[in-house]
Amino acid sequence: MQNDLTKNRSNGQQPAETFPTAVSPLQAETGPAKEIISRVRTTGLHVGFGPREIIHDISVEFPQNQVTALLGPTGSGKTTLLRTLNRLNEMSSGFWMSGRVDLDGRDIYQDFSDVREVRRAVGMLFQRPNPFPQSIEENVAIGLRAHHIVPAPQIHQEVERQLINVGLWDAVGDKLDESPFGLSGGQQQLLCLARTLAVRPEVILLDEPTSSLDPISTQRVEDLVTRLKEKVTIIMVTHNVQQAARISDYIVFLNEGSLVEANWSREMFINTQNHIVEDFLTGRMG
Amino acid sequence: MRRQHAVDIFMWVLCGIALALVILPAVDIILDVLIHSAGSWSLGLLTTTTFGEGGGLLNAWTGTLVLMFLLFLLAAPIGVLGGIYLAEYSSLRGARILRFASEMLAGVPSIVVGYVIYLVFVIVFGWSFSVLAGVLALTIMVTPYIMKSTEAALNQVPSNLREGGSALGLSHSLTIRRILLPIALPGILNGLVVAEAIGMGETAPLIYTAGWSNSLPTLQLIHQPIGYLTYAVWTYINQPSAQAHQLAYSAAALLLIFLLLLIGLSRWVGTRASRYTSRFQV
């Protein structure tokens, strides 16, 4: 499956089409904001399961090559919104949506003939590490083969490159043929990240990726995320305000399925006008 | 507090009784068979064929192995593929029809299955008592079971693994083959072993279809009946002579041994196949 996006990336080029967009009213309220060059944006998005609507009319942009944190209280629809961005919600029964989700100007629900193409371009890391029941090497190689990222003879070399990239090579270089379930939780999560990066995504979705990890592993993942944004756009659900403050550039704040505020992190932390956001950021609500 | 303690003890006693109700009959059956057959154990039992009410069980135990082997060849692929279809494509209309048919089939008494095969294949198709007719009857008996256990094993794979495959953009079939099946494999193998054990223990559908033979199994699939251990148990236990009784108990003992070997084999295959899942935790 060699699609347009794959071709662009394997030439080492960014897809040419990115579009600057207007400053949203919410940003205007909080002072003159930097112009956003977005890679992913939603327009009038409603999402629900069966009779329940979870996401209400969200139009928001996620800036390119930045880390965006999706913040909000439990049940605010952060994860549902995240899973709409790679069409993973389609696997849940009763899912419905209206509105648009664009990736580089293409509607991911309409303009891609194959959902696999969307999911290759928009990678995802889950709350709990979920390595596949294959060898450590195969965990990374399986995506390389499925999407024809590199020719077969180069797969081993590419696996090594990806494992070095996430800082896992020293730990697993001599046991590539072993089960990934023998690794620590942090190492398993890094392996999942290497597997995701291997297929050259343009966007990576992180669903509370460090919630099951110890502080040291958490720091390693956070360092990696900060480094990775040079190459990919990162959208991360987190419950952790400190984490958002440490690594996010932009914050999208949700409450009860609606967009409350979207702004550059610094702006939001310093002078949010919204009392819900303020209560949440200062720890009065959480 | 005291009342809670009493309830606690009461529940433990109930569990103990339930456990005993399962274990005691099993132990009773095994001891009964071993004690009654102990006198007749000899190499001749395994190496000579049956004649009259005596002789050995060579034709019967080899016949049972042949039937089990052919049953595996036929029922395992149909059952496992059907189970995958039920678990992974359950939203399709075909899956609803398949599930309904499979549940119906599972409820049909074995003697009815045997009789239908007898009428259709043995009589109308003119196969006469034959290996293939017997295997067909057994396949109809155990395939619904294999489907059900395969479906259950796949449904127990944690959803975050399934989602991991999808999120990476892998195709559904690749996700099934490389991610779901390795995790589900021990459950599927267990289902296959139980299915083979059910097949091995069946008598009624085979009497109508496979017949019985005092001579060794041949490679001929039709027009040739075949011997099997359950027939020896069923027939010789009803004969008056002590010799016939010994033969019946020996056949029962062999069935138990085959069962143990079958369980051992599945464990061995299971641990080898689950090399990358050995430390997997849900």
Side-chain angles (χ1 to χ4, degrees):
Chain A
M1 197 190 71
Q2 184 88 8
N3 55 57
D4 299 348
L5 293 164
T6 320
K7 279 179 200 144
N8 277 334
R9 293 296 294 194
S10 49
N11 293 339
Q13 295 166 354
Q14 299 289 332
E17 195 190 353
T18 52
F19 44 95
T21 47
V23 176
S24 78
L26 281 165
Q27 289 153 16
E29 270 173 32
T30 54
K34 282 191 273 180
E35 189 183 33
I36 296 176
I37 298 178
S38 75
R39 172 145 261 180
V40 179
R41 75 165 164 191
T42 69
T43 314
L45 185 67
H46 294 258
V47 178
F49 297 94
R52 263 189 80 206
E53 181 171 301
I54 311 284
I55 298 285
H56 315 296
D57 191 24
I58 291 188
S59 301
V60 70
E61 292 154 37
F62 298 93
Q64 178 176 357
N65 291 76
Q66 305 286 350
V67 178
T68 299
L70 282 175
L71 272 183
T74 306
S76 57
K78 305 182 295 288
T79 297
T80 302
L81 177 61
L82 192 78
R83 291 161 63 96
T84 309
L85 304 180
N86 66 344
R87 292 178 58 173
L88 206 61
N89 276 333
E90 287 180 354
M91 295 176 70
S92 311
S93 65
F95 165 76
W96 57 264
M97 64 163 285
S98 65
R100 278 177 72 103
V101 178
D102 287 291
L103 172 67
D104 296 325
R106 292 170 76 192
D107 185 339
I108 63 167
Y109 286 86
Q110 302 291 335
D111 301 341
F112 288 78
S113 57
D114 191 339
V115 65
R116 286 177 282 172
E117 202 184 321
V118 175
R119 292 181 181 149
R120 198 235 12 107
V122 185
M124 185 164 185
L125 201 59
F126 293 79
Q127 220 174 84
R128 285 182 56 196
N130 55 353
F132 300 145
Q134 301 287 341
S135 69
I136 290 170
E137 172 162 10
E138 184 59 20
N139 260 274
V140 182
I142 192 169
L144 292 172
R145 264 199 293 275
H147 294 290
H148 307 290
I149 302 291
V150 294
Q154 291 171 27
I155 282 179
H156 180 77
Q157 206 185 342
E158 181 63 22
V159 169
E160 180 178 338
R161 208 174 70 80
Q162 292 300 339
L163 290 172
I164 291 171
N165 187 27
V166 298
L168 202 54
W169 180 255
D170 290 341
V172 305
D174 56 346
K175 44 183 178 183
L176 291 179
D177 193 37
E178 289 179 19
S179 159
F181 300 108
L183 301 175
S184 73
Q187 289 172 328
Q188 289 187 26
Q189 194 64 306
L190 289 175
L191 179 65
C192 293
L193 188 56
R195 165 179 99 190
T196 305
L197 290 169
V199 299
R200 313 286 198 272
E202 280 128 57
V203 179
I204 297 186
L205 311 176
L206 309 174
D207 185 4
E208 294 186 56
T210 59
S211 62
S212 67
L213 304 185
D214 62 87
I216 293 170
S217 302
T218 299
Q219 199 192 344
R220 286 185 71 182
V221 172
E222 287 184 4
D223 290 347
L224 254 174
V225 167
T226 310
R227 184 159 63 75
L228 286 171
K229 73 179 180 186
E230 288 169 19
K231 292 183 180 152
V232 292
T233 299
I234 291 164
I235 303 170
M236 173 181 71
V237 166
T238 178
H239 270 120
N240 186 332
V241 176
Q242 282 75 36
Q243 185 170 56
R246 281 196 298 270
I247 63 173
S248 78
D249 303 294
Y250 196 77
I251 292 176
V252 170
F253 194 98
L254 305 184
N255 189 34
E256 293 178 352
S258 296
L259 178 65
V260 177
E261 187 171 349
N263 205 344
W264 298 97
S265 306
R266 190 165 298 174
E267 295 280 326
M268 195 179 282
F269 271 102
I270 293 171
N271 53 14
T272 178
Q273 304 295 315
N274 188 297
H275 72 276
I276 298 175
V277 177
E278 193 182 352
D279 285 357
F280 192 87
L281 295 184
T282 53
R284 279 200 289 265
M285 178 178 108
Chain B
M1 196 61 210
R2 170 167 291 179
R3 190 164 155 216
Q4 267 189 21
H5 191 64
V7 171
D8 214 26
I9 290 178
F10 179 67
M11 293 311 287
W12 273 110
V13 170
L14 279 187
C15 289
I17 291 172
L19 192 69
L21 282 176
V22 175
I23 291 180
L24 289 180
V27 170
D28 179 56
I29 289 170
I30 292 170
L31 285 182
D32 195 45
V33 166
L34 288 183
I35 290 167
H36 281 90
S37 65
S40 61
W41 280 106
S42 70
L43 200 59
L45 186 75
L46 296 176
T47 54
T48 53
T49 54
T50 317
F51 50 89
E53 289 179 10
L57 290 166
L58 178 64
N59 49 327
W61 74 260
T62 49
T64 290
L65 286 190
V66 167
L67 285 168
M68 290 306 101
F69 177 70
L70 293 175
L71 174 66
F72 183 82
L73 284 190
L74 204 58
I78 298 174
V80 171
L81 289 176
I84 293 173
Y85 186 77
L86 287 181
E88 296 300 317
Y89 303 91
S90 56
S91 55
L92 302 180
R93 190 197 186 124
R96 279 202 294 271
I97 296 170
L98 181 64
R99 184 174 287 116
F100 177 72
S102 163
E103 278 166 6
M104 276 251 306
L105 216 51
V108 177
S110 62
I111 193 142
V112 175
V113 172
Y115 192 62
V116 169
I117 297 285
Y118 170 75
L119 284 179
V120 176
F121 294 97
V122 176
I123 303 294
V124 177
F125 277 44
W127 288 3
S128 61
F129 289 132
S130 60
V131 181
L132 196 57
V135 170
L136 274 186
L138 291 180
T139 301
I140 291 172
M141 294 290 310
V142 304
T143 302
Y145 186 85
I146 300 174
M147 270 191 214
K148 197 87 202 159
S149 58
T150 301
E151 184 190 4
L154 280 168
N155 283 337
Q156 274 170 12
V157 178
S159 63
N160 74 338
L161 276 179
R162 200 181 293 268
E163 290 184 340
S166 300
L168 198 59
L170 305 184
S171 67
H172 195 172
S173 70
L174 191 65
T175 304
I176 292 171
R177 274 183 290 134
R178 305 301 296 277
I179 301 171
L180 305 184
L181 283 181
I183 300 276
L185 193 69
I188 294 173
L189 284 176
N190 193 45
L192 286 173
V193 167
V194 175
E196 284 277 301
I198 293 172
M200 200 154 72
E202 280 297 345
T203 324
L206 287 178
I207 292 167
Y208 275 121
T209 53
W212 165 258
S213 163
N214 276 344
S215 47
L216 278 173
T218 63
L219 291 176
Q220 212 177 326
L221 288 179
I222 54 175
H223 301 302
Q224 184 80 294
I226 189 169
Y228 41 93
L229 289 168
T230 46
Y231 181 92
V233 178
W234 178 72
T235 313
Y236 293 117
I237 205 73
N238 285 326
Q239 305 300 321
S241 77
Q243 202 187 8
H245 281 184
Q246 291 236 317
L247 212 53
Y249 275 110
S250 302
L254 275 178
L255 279 171
L256 285 179
I257 290 166
F258 280 4
L259 196 62
L260 284 178
L261 290 177
L262 207 57
I263 292 169
L265 182 73
S266 85
R267 291 275 151 83
W268 183 73
V269 175
T271 46
R272 274 185 62 93
S274 61
R275 192 164 147 228
Y276 297 126
T277 57
S278 53
R279 293 171 75 175
F280 174 76
Q281 288 163 340
V282 174

